[in-house]
Amino acid sequence: MSLRLRLHAQLRARLRAPLALRTRVALLFALLLIAVMAVSVGVASSGLSFMARQAAERDMAANARVFDQIIASRSTQLGESAAVVARDFGFREAFATGDSATLASALASLGQRTGAEVAAIVALDGTVTAAPGAPAMSGAALLPALEAGRDRGTVALGGKLALAVAAPIEMPDLAGWLVLAQPLSGPDIASLSKLSAIPMRAEVSDASALAPALRREQPGIIAIAPSAEGDQLVRLSALPSLQQGVEARLVLRSPLAAALEAYARTRFLLIAIAIAGTLLGVWLALRLAADITRPLTALADAARRIAKGEWTRVPVRGDREVAALAHSFNAMVDAIDERERQIVHTALHDGLTGMPNRSYFIEKLERALLRQNDDYRTLVAFIDLDDFKVINDTMGHPAGDALLRRIAKLLQDLYPDAMVARFGGDEFGLLITGLSRSADCTAIASALNDALNRDHLIEGRTLAASASFGVAISPADGADCDTLLKHADLALYRAKAEGKGTYHFFEAALDEAASRRRQLELDMREALRNGAFELHFQPLFSMAHQRVKGFEALMRWNHPVRGAISPAEFIPLAEETGLIIPLGEWALMEACHQASAWPDDLSVAVNISPRQFASPALAQAVIRALAASGLDPSQLELEITESIFIGNVEKTVATLHALRGLGIRVSLDDFGTGYSSLSYLRSFPFDKIKIDQSFVRDLCGDTSARAIVRAITAMAGALGMDILAEGVELDAQADMLRAEGCDMIQGYLISRPIPAREVAALLGLHQGEAKRA
């Protein structure tokens, strides 16, 4: 093979081989610098063009203002001259007597004196009397503007546009107008170009004579329009019109190239600087690439080993920068190792208590279930603090956090060999593995219950805290993780339902109850969509007046399979799932709708649940219900219970005042069953309080119940509140209530809750009985 062929083959091989790192770094820096320079020049060039256009636009706007001033000044001069002549006694006398010779002389003299091309009189019928030799002017086309009171604007005059002014001729009533017109051309327009800092041409044209593209432009907007000489900046100004059908436009034109020409030298200088900077940058990139690539090989090798999972370090040597790079690399390796440990710990532990979290708990549980056999069992307990939100609201979040840390430490100290985890919020988990068949799980649960339900010293204050928990034991209660956790959760739910501060072991019946509860929730959602709920109404009866004064609306649900379902069953579930909000809004709408058909002296009472009361949309729901039904707000009464005051009392009272501001009444239901009823009465002046039926039920056999009723009625009377006793079933109870000063009653003695269609009949029945009495 000849030398020439060998050299050609070597060159081709080198071209196919990948570029060396040094070359790639230098090429990357060079390309980056070129790109930056190109973008910089482009941005600067665009900025210069923008500045040039902005300057031209400012000049055009200034010229437009100058022209407006010229027109205004000329209009003022012509108007003053016309007004003087129009008020002249001799002129008006000649006009009144029809002295055409005098009028012609006066008009010709006025035109010469003012420089107007046309001086004419426009009569009320549109007839035009002009100076001899003046161009024709349409008086009929001027009449609409003159009659509207306009006295200046543009008119068409012999195929040209002219500036015209008009002065009324009054003798003393209006007899016509003296009109002066001067063409918009010549020196006035030419003066604009001389005043401009850039080449500019001005003209006045009718809008209909403009090119279609210019006709679409809005006056006052500067646009770019093509022309035979190149792109031009064009600005239109609308001139007022005095003649029907005339739309005058001032058109300013300036070549765009002329505006940009002043910046061409600056743009060239920028390009030259960019080229010089690029060449210098390429040379520096080559030098920098040589210094960088040498230590990079060692760092790249170390990085490859770290990527394989090997822990490695690089020697710290060489120049200061290279040594610093090696030192930083080693520090990065150490930091990565430390962060990995922290990430693993954070992913598996709770930030507040430092205890394992739910993920770690489940991982440990899964491993424990794999190791268990018939001789060793696994116990899982789900723990939930009772009313923890109340503790946070009343004592503050720091106290709540301190309590959580206290509970976590207590559990860990009580079961040092078990897995204790915080699941989040106020929930904890306990995992005890390797329990023998003889181990007493009841004793474990009892000890746990005693430890949780006791006083705790938190931040120097004694806090009475309680907790409920559910227990599931594998393999009897579930052989896999998900089943065991679900069953422990069901047991916790049952413990909560049994009164809190206790525990419950999983039973198969709990799973069945949960399934029924879930099915009931699904059925309730479907019933809400299909309108299967209805309202029944129980009368509120006045013993003094022997008549019904209102009704309480009570929800009823007739299930297609199970039949009538008690509100005591579906209302708590609706409250828990959030369905109570749409269900409560429906009850408001339906109750107001039904009550709107009753006599005006009857009211309707609607129960508001705590969750519905906490909704920010409650006031809007009340307003919508009143507006849709047309019911007077004074006929609507909202019944609430003391539980709404738990938490933010100030917000609750503010909401109650807002509802009262709508004109509705607010009553306190089940009064006397809470521990702080009196404080609530002092916080908010209720319109009515309802004595709980538990006191009414014991009236006949318990003197203390009667004493409580007597105290409540006396207190209500002192506070100016109405009082109603619910659950009245016997005449003896009604007599005792009347004797204690309670007039309003509600219960089976009067009537059971009835459908809306039976309300009219019940009202008629009671009215008849009242008349007979």
Side-chain angles (χ1 to χ4, degrees):
M1 182 181 295
S2 66
L3 177 61
R4 180 178 179 182
L5 291 177
R6 286 200 302 271
L7 291 174
H8 183 68
Q10 291 175 2
L11 179 60
R12 189 165 51 187
R14 288 186 178 181
L15 290 174
R16 290 177 179 174
L19 295 175
L21 178 61
R22 175 182 175 181
T23 305
R24 292 202 303 273
V25 171
L27 184 60
L28 177 62
F29 273 99
L31 291 176
L32 181 62
L33 185 60
I34 292 172
V36 170
M37 289 296 183
V39 170
S40 300
V41 171
V43 170
S45 180
S46 299
L48 290 173
S49 299
F50 179 76
M51 290 170 59
R53 181 177 173 181
Q54 288 291 308
E57 290 180 357
R58 286 195 298 270
D59 286 342
M60 296 187 84
N63 286 354
R65 288 193 297 271
V66 170
F67 187 79
D68 291 341
Q69 293 172 359
I70 292 174
I71 290 179
S73 176
R74 186 59 179 152
S75 297
T76 301
Q77 294 174 359
L78 291 175
E80 291 174 350
S81 300
V84 169
V85 174
R87 290 193 298 266
D88 183 75
F89 177 78
F91 177 81
R92 287 187 295 171
E93 182 181 10
F95 179 71
T97 59
D99 187 351
S100 58
T102 302
L103 288 177
S105 174
L107 292 175
S109 175
L110 179 61
Q112 292 175 358
R113 202 168 54 250
T114 59
E117 186 168 329
V118 172
I121 297 173
V122 178
L124 295 178
D125 59 356
T127 305
V128 177
T129 303
M137 183 169 57
S138 173
L142 297 180
L143 280 180
L146 294 174
E147 291 173 349
R150 294 202 296 271
D151 62 354
R152 63 191 60 193
T154 54
V155 298
L157 196 65
K160 298 180 295 183
L161 292 176
L163 174 64
V165 297
I169 303 172
E170 299 173 340
M171 298 186 301
D173 294 331
L174 179 67
W177 296 268
L178 176 60
V179 178
L180 298 179
Q182 182 181 27
L184 285 167
S185 59
D188 292 338
I189 299 300
S191 65
L192 288 174
S193 300
K194 296 179 181 179
L195 293 172
S196 176
I198 59 173
M200 187 175 298
R201 188 174 81 251
E203 61 182 20
V204 177
S205 175
D206 193 88
S208 60
L210 296 175
L214 286 180
R215 284 201 299 269
R216 291 192 294 268
E217 294 294 338
Q218 293 294 325
I221 303 299
I222 298 178
I224 297 178
S227 68
E229 295 82 13
D231 290 344
Q232 291 184 332
L233 294 175
V234 179
R235 185 185 190 278
L236 301 181
S237 296
L239 300 179
S241 175
L242 196 62
Q243 179 176 337
Q244 192 174 25
V246 173
E247 294 182 25
R249 297 288 186 268
L250 170 64
V251 185
L252 300 181
R253 304 176 188 268
S254 177
L256 185 59
L260 299 178
E261 185 178 355
Y263 296 90
R265 183 176 179 183
T266 305
R267 186 180 290 107
F268 175 78
L269 183 60
L270 284 173
I271 295 174
I273 293 173
I275 293 174
T278 301
L279 295 176
L280 179 61
V282 170
W283 179 78
L284 291 174
L286 292 172
R287 294 290 305 272
L288 181 62
D291 295 336
I292 291 176
T293 53
R294 281 190 294 270
L296 286 182
T297 302
L299 291 173
D301 182 63
R304 281 192 294 270
R305 291 198 297 271
I306 291 175
K308 294 178 181 178
E310 301 176 12
W311 187 86
T312 184
R313 300 172 67 87
V314 295
V316 180
R317 60 180 178 224
D319 295 336
R320 183 174 60 183
E321 291 81 3
V322 175
L325 181 61
H327 179 76
S328 298
F329 182 86
N330 293 333
M332 179 190 69
V333 172
D334 295 338
I336 289 173
D337 184 60
E338 176 63 24
R339 278 197 297 272
E340 285 182 349
R341 287 195 294 269
Q342 292 177 356
I343 289 171
V344 172
H345 183 273
T346 302
L348 299 176
H349 290 78
D350 172 56
L352 177 65
T353 63
M355 307 295 291
N357 61 13
R358 187 184 187 94
S359 299
Y360 197 3
F361 185 90
I362 292 175
E363 181 182 328
K364 189 76 176 287
L365 175 59
E366 288 176 342
R367 290 201 299 266
L369 293 178
L370 291 175
R371 293 195 304 269
Q372 78 175 2
N373 52 45
D374 294 338
D375 296 327
Y376 292 95
R377 298 177 294 169
T378 303
L379 181 146
V380 172
F382 264 18
I383 305 167
D384 184 86
L385 300 184
D386 298 328
D387 299 324
F388 182 70
K389 184 179 183 300
V390 177
I391 296 174
N392 270 338
D393 291 341
T394 56
M395 299 185 65
H397 287 277
D401 292 344
L403 177 62
L404 292 174
R405 288 191 290 267
R406 169 70 177 165
I407 295 297
K409 186 176 185 306
L410 183 150
L411 292 172
Q412 193 64 76
D413 292 344
L414 186 62
Y415 301 102
D417 298 328
M419 160 73 86
V420 178
R422 183 190 175 210
F423 289 169
D426 58 351
E427 295 181 347
F428 292 87
L430 173 65
L431 172 62
I432 302 177
T433 61
L435 287 173
S436 65
R437 287 193 170 277
S438 60
D440 189 351
C441 295
T442 301
I444 295 174
S446 179
L448 177 60
N449 188 58
D450 292 340
L452 291 171
N453 293 288
R454 66 181 188 185
D455 292 345
H456 300 277
L457 187 63
I458 303 296
E459 297 181 350
R461 292 179 290 181
T462 300
L463 178 63
S466 69
S468 305
F469 61 92
V471 180
I473 303 171
S474 180
D477 296 336
D480 61 274
C481 179
D482 292 340
T483 303
L484 198 62
L485 292 175
K486 183 185 79 169
H487 288 170
D489 195 26
L490 288 174
L492 169 62
Y493 182 81
R494 173 56 63 88
K496 288 280 190 182
E498 290 181 351
K500 304 179 182 179
T502 185
Y503 64 91
H504 204 286
F505 283 91
F506 173 74
E507 301 168 356
L510 296 180
D511 208 2
E512 296 174 3
S515 297
R516 288 196 304 271
R517 177 179 172 278
R518 176 59 179 164
Q519 186 59 48
L520 184 63
E521 179 186 346
L522 295 175
D523 292 346
M524 189 158 49
R525 292 182 184 275
E526 184 177 359
L528 187 58
R529 287 194 300 268
N530 298 335
F533 289 96
E534 64 175 324
L535 290 182
H536 283 199
F537 297 89
Q538 188 171 34
L540 311 178
F541 188 77
S542 170
M543 292 185 288
H545 298 89
Q546 286 295 302
R547 59 181 292 270
V548 175
K549 287 197 170 183
F551 291 86
E552 179 180 1
L554 300 170
M555 262 185 279
R556 295 293 184 264
W557 179 19
N558 191 20
H559 193 278
V561 177
R562 296 176 54 185
I565 298 179
S566 170
E569 182 178 358
F570 70 81
I571 291 295
L573 180 58
E575 182 83 15
E576 182 180 341
T577 59
L579 287 173
I580 194 66
I581 294 178
L583 195 57
E585 291 183 0
W586 169 83
L588 266 173
M589 293 289 290
E590 181 66 14
C592 291
H593 170 70
Q594 295 294 342
S596 64
W598 301 344
D600 293 342
D601 59 346
L602 293 181
S603 64
V604 63
V606 182
N607 290 282
I608 302 297
S609 76
R611 188 158 185 174
Q612 185 184 3
F613 185 85
S615 171
L618 175 61
Q620 286 76 11
V622 173
I623 293 172
R624 285 197 301 271
L626 292 172
S629 63
L631 184 71
D632 190 276
S634 63
Q635 293 180 259
L636 176 62
E637 182 177 304
L638 300 184
E639 294 188 2
I640 63 171
T641 60
E642 297 177 22
S643 56
I644 66 166
F645 286 94
I646 297 177
N648 192 335
V649 177
E650 293 182 359
K651 181 180 178 182
T652 299
V653 171
T655 302
L656 290 173
H657 280 292
L659 293 172
R660 173 78 70 74
L662 298 176
I664 64 177
R665 293 165 55 85
V666 182
S667 64
L668 181 61
D669 198 6
D670 299 334
F671 182 77
T673 59
Y675 65 89
S676 55
S677 301
L678 294 179
S679 66
Y680 298 151
L681 291 182
R682 199 173 71 175
S683 300
F684 179 77
F686 290 93
D687 297 291
K688 179 193 294 182
I689 56 177
K690 298 181 69 174
I691 301 176
D692 186 68
Q693 59 184 338
S694 61
F695 300 115
V696 176
R697 190 183 305 116
D698 296 337
L699 271 178
C700 297
D702 188 349
T703 56
S704 63
R706 185 165 185 173
I708 291 175
V709 170
R710 183 182 302 121
I712 293 175
T713 54
M715 177 191 62
L719 295 176
M721 300 179 185
D722 295 335
I723 187 164
L724 180 145
E726 55 185 359
V728 180
E729 300 181 359
L730 304 173
D731 288 325
Q733 294 170 341
D735 293 340
M736 290 183 181
L737 289 167
R738 183 187 294 110
E740 298 300 340
C742 177
D743 175 56
M744 295 290 293
I745 62 173
Q746 171 186 2
Y748 286 0
L749 178 63
I750 305 302
S751 171
R752 293 176 176 270
I754 58 174
R757 62 180 178 274
E758 299 178 12
V759 167
L762 184 141
L763 289 174
L765 175 64
H766 280 279
Q767 287 174 355
E769 292 179 352
K771 290 178 180 178
R772 288 194 296 273

